[in-house]
Structures are given as C-alpha cells and as structure tokens.
Amino acid sequence: MARLAYKFLRPGAIGPFSRFAWPQPVGDQPGPWVEATPARGGCVSGIHALELDHLAIWLDRELWAIELDGEVELARRKLVAPRGRLLRRIEAWTPAVLAELATAAVERARTVAAASGDATAAGYLADAAQYAAIAPAGSLLCAAYVGLTPEGVAAEQVWQSRWLAARLGLT
Amino acid sequence: MSVTAPPRLTCREVVELATRYEEGELSPDDRERLEEHLVTCDPCVVYLDQMQQTAAAIGAAEHAHDDDGDGLAPGLEDALAAAFRARHGGG
C-alpha cells in the first residue's frame, strides 16, 4: 500500500548513511522506484523514511517527500518499506528554518527546565541556548535532553518535529 | 525513580565503532546511536566518508594487479611512487 513519508538527504539527494544517490524526480514526474537491497548486518533492510513525529531526529541538508510502497513498518524511529521513490523536494526546508526551529526549541526547553527545577535540565538548556546560533542541530538535541528520561527526550523530539512539520506545512 | 536518557556516543566512540559500522556488524541499537551522532557531528561524517573512500580505493587497487596477480599494474605503481615523491619532496 502506498504511503507518503519524508526523508532527509545530503546535498544532491544522497543518502546520509547509505551514501546512495537517489534518482530524482524530473519535472512533475516522481523519481523511479528504488527497491531495497538485502540486509546489511543488524540493519533492518529496506527503504528508510520518516513520519512527521520523527523529523527532528534525522535532520540533514535536503528534505524530500517520498512515496513508500509495499509493507511499511515502523522500526524504532524510522519507517521501513521494501521500495520507495522521491516525489518532490521540500524547498521550504532551509538553514533559516532550521535556525527558527532551534530558537523555538530553546524557548520550549526553557519552559520544561523551569517546570522540572532539575539542575541537569538547566545544564542542557544552557548548552541548547549556547549552540542555537552556531550549531542548531546540536542545539536541538540539547533542548530535547531537557526531557531527561528516554520518554521525556522522545516527547521533546516529537514536539520539535511537529513544530517543523507545521512550519513547513507538511501533512 | 526516573531513568536518565542514555548518553550520546562521543566522537571517540564513533571512531572505535567505525569499522564495525561500515561492515554492518553493529547491533541495531548501536547503529542507530551512531547514526544519531552523525546527524549533529559533521567531522565524524567526514571521517566515515574518508574511511569508506579509502576502503574503496584499496579495493580498486587490489583489482588492478598485474597479470601475475602478485603486484600492482606497472602504470599504477609508477603513479603511486611519483605521488609519494611529490608529497614528500623527494627527487
């Protein structure tokens, strides 16, 4: 069953971990289907993509809409499918939007840290604020760690992801 | 009692795991932690890219043996020697 998802790629539509050069759409036509290759070690074999709630975990320079086909599974914090094809690049995803996201996440972290009153959370908040302008992706991670527990961190990353999806108008 | 979120991998740990990562030998947990580190660490991305490129170049050189299979092809051997001399200022 076809499903819309999103995928962060390096410049030139290169897979950040696989280094696979994704065939790109031409005009209004989607890119060609890409079939998953056999599993490598412990990696779940398949085409990896993201639900909206996991966007902020896997940031990279380019963001693409991707159509997945076949049996789509949620493995940890990624969708995995037997095949997929790029539909279009999300041109609204820019360094300026990343900076906006980092700023918003720091403000959010400020509220969370204040509510917890925890010194460790305050430390993560300080790091997030310090790095927001110079290393926004790292700042986002620090802001998420204000959640402290695995569940708390995950909740902050969902908040960041939903902020980004709303900012980019993704559904 | 709260459970603290697991610490991120350090760059040193990424370097230690790099070979096993490239060879697909990490557990899914370790693989995901390493990749999560890469999202926020460009130097480690460069390190892994260079490692992969080096491995690819060595693999290509291994396929460039001479006809006897016991040495580099003559042209490749000369080119490597010239590059080494140029880099080290030798004559």
Side-chain angles (χ1 to χ4, degrees):
Chain A
M1 174 181 288
R3 175 170 177 174
L4 175 65
Y6 296 91
K7 190 170 183 66
F8 281 103
L9 296 171
R10 290 193 196 178
I14 305 295
F17 310 122
S18 67
R19 305 183 184 95
F20 175 72
W22 275 82
Q24 300 180 33
V26 176
D28 294 335
Q29 297 300 310
W33 287 104
V34 173
E35 305 285 339
T37 54
R40 267 182 41 178
C43 181
V44 177
S45 175
I47 304 298
H48 296 88
L50 301 172
E51 294 184 308
L52 293 178
D53 278 357
H54 296 140
L55 286 176
I57 303 170
W58 301 110
L59 302 174
D60 214 310
R61 307 296 198 281
E62 296 182 356
L63 177 59
W64 290 78
I66 183 172
E67 182 179 10
L68 303 176
D69 192 36
E71 188 174 345
V72 181
E73 298 177 32
L74 178 61
R76 301 166 186 276
R77 298 173 298 175
K78 295 176 185 171
L79 295 171
V80 184
R83 63 189 201 137
R85 61 179 178 178
L86 296 182
L87 296 178
R88 67 183 184 284
R89 184 172 171 189
I90 308 300
E91 301 288 351
W93 171 241
T94 63
V97 172
L98 173 57
E100 285 180 38
L101 171 58
T103 300
V106 168
E107 289 310 306
R108 158 84 176 180
R110 204 179 302 283
T111 303
V112 174
S116 74
D118 185 281
T120 302
Y124 282 126
L125 169 62
D127 288 345
Q130 179 179 355
Y131 292 116
I134 55 176
S139 170
L140 285 175
L141 195 60
C142 293
Y145 265 68
V146 170
L148 294 176
T149 64
E151 296 77 16
V153 173
E156 293 311 302
Q157 289 177 319
V158 167
W159 184 92
Q160 295 173 1
S161 298
R162 290 179 179 175
W163 185 100
L164 180 57
R167 175 65 178 79
L168 298 176
L170 306 179
T171 56
Chain B
M1 188 175 77
S2 66
V3 178
T4 304
R8 295 185 65 227
L9 290 182
T10 64
C11 296
R12 181 182 297 273
E13 289 169 325
V14 169
V15 169
E16 289 170 354
L17 294 172
T19 301
R20 292 174 58 204
Y21 171 72
E22 290 292 343
E23 293 178 354
E25 293 176 350
L26 291 184
S27 69
D29 277 343
D30 285 343
R31 181 179 190 85
E32 183 162 306
R33 290 180 70 207
L34 190 148
E35 291 179 344
E36 199 169 347
H37 177 102
L38 297 179
V39 171
T40 58
C41 187
D42 287 343
C44 281
V45 171
V46 171
Y47 174 82
L48 286 176
D49 281 352
Q50 289 176 340
M51 200 176 106
Q52 190 272 339
Q53 289 163 9
T54 302
I58 290 172
E62 286 176 347
H63 285 90
H65 283 310
D66 62 11
D67 291 341
D68 296 334
D70 59 358
L72 294 176
L76 180 58
E77 190 169 350
D78 292 345
L80 287 171
F84 182 83
R85 282 195 297 272
R87 183 177 178 80
H88 294 280

